[in-house]
């Protein structure tokens, strides 16, 4: 009996715990998936089984705090699929549909504020602490995911929150230009989140561009002049 107990304890001790990135520069407080991506067990199952293994149990969905749920969604292993297609807004909608963590998160009344808190708390310059180039890219990716979330949040945030979101996103955009690791892949996404927030204040009434409203509605790529106009309004609201 004692042998079996020791064996069980040893088994649990040897089990891997989900950790988004190896360097662990930022501590992870979200849900720990029972099958950790990258392990032999993960590699032995199909894609469908992997998606199923990542779904949160019903009791977890009910009890997990919004802050922890947000981190769980932020580091959902299949978020990378957002970049599988040129239409990233559509790809993001598909990712949200396949993970029940997103469904629960978007129903939380404090989701908007928790997202704002987390995004504003992240220091753009912290990537300099990471020595592995690939890991730098991973942490930069966190910002991209939150900015995708903001494209949705902008549609239902309060007026006060919308104004704060505009200022926050524009400030981060300016800060990120100093670090090549952030690239320009999410330039359109930030503009969309800012634009949707500003649209509620009739900020674009003087703009003559014909593609701006279509961009704000669909999120599909638009011309550079639309993005620059959105940024100019964010800089001087």
């Amino acid at each position: 009996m004692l042998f079996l107990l020791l064996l069980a304890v040893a088994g649990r001790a040897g089990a891997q715990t989900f950790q988004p990135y190896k360097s662990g520069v930022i501590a992870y407080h979200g849900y720990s998936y029972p099958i950790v991506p990258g392990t032999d067990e993960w590699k032995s199952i199909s894609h469908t089984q992997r998606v199923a293994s990542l779904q949160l149990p019903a009791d977890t969905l009910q009890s997990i705090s919004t802050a922890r749920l947000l981190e769980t969604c932020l580091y959902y292993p299949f978020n990378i699929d957002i970049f599988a297609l040129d239409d990233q807004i559509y790809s993001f909608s598909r990712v949200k549909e396949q993970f029940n963590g997103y469904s629960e998160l978007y129903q939380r009344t404090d989701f908007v504020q928790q997202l704002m808190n987390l995004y504003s708390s992240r220091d753009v310059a912290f990537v300099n602490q990471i020595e592995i180039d690939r890991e730098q890219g991973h942490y930069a990716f966190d910002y991209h995911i939150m900015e995708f979330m903001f494209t949705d949040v902008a549609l239902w945030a309060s007026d006060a929150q919308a104004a704060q979101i505009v200022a926050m996103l524009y400030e981060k955009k300016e800060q990120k230009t100093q670090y090549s690791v952030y690239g320009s892949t999410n330039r359109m996404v930030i503009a969309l989140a800012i634009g949707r927030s500003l649209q509620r204040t009739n900020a674009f009434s003087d703009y003559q561009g014909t593609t701006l409203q279509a961009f704000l509605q669909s999120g599909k790529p638009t011309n550079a002049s639309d993005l620059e106009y959105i940024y100019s309004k964010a800089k001087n609201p």
Side-chain angles (χ1 to χ4, degrees), residues 31-32 42 88 92 94 115 142 174 180 213 221 232:
Y31 176 73
S32 186
W42 175 266
Q88 295 172 3
F92 183 45
R94 294 292 300 272
L115 177 59
D142 298 349
E174 292 294 286
S180 59
Q213 293 303 322
S232 70

Side-chain angles (χ1 to χ4, degrees), residues 207-215 222-223 225-226:
Y207 189 54
Q208 302 303 313
T210 59
T211 56
L212 179 60
Q213 293 303 322
F215 167 62
T222 186
N223 58 65
S225 60
D226 286 343

Side-chain angles (χ1 to χ4, degrees), residues 119 147 150 165-173 190 193-194:
Y119 187 76
E147 286 150 3
F150 275 120
I165 289 170
V166 169
M168 187 168 50
L169 288 173
Y170 186 80
E171 180 182 13
K172 294 287 188 184
K173 178 192 79 71
I190 294 177
I194 291 175

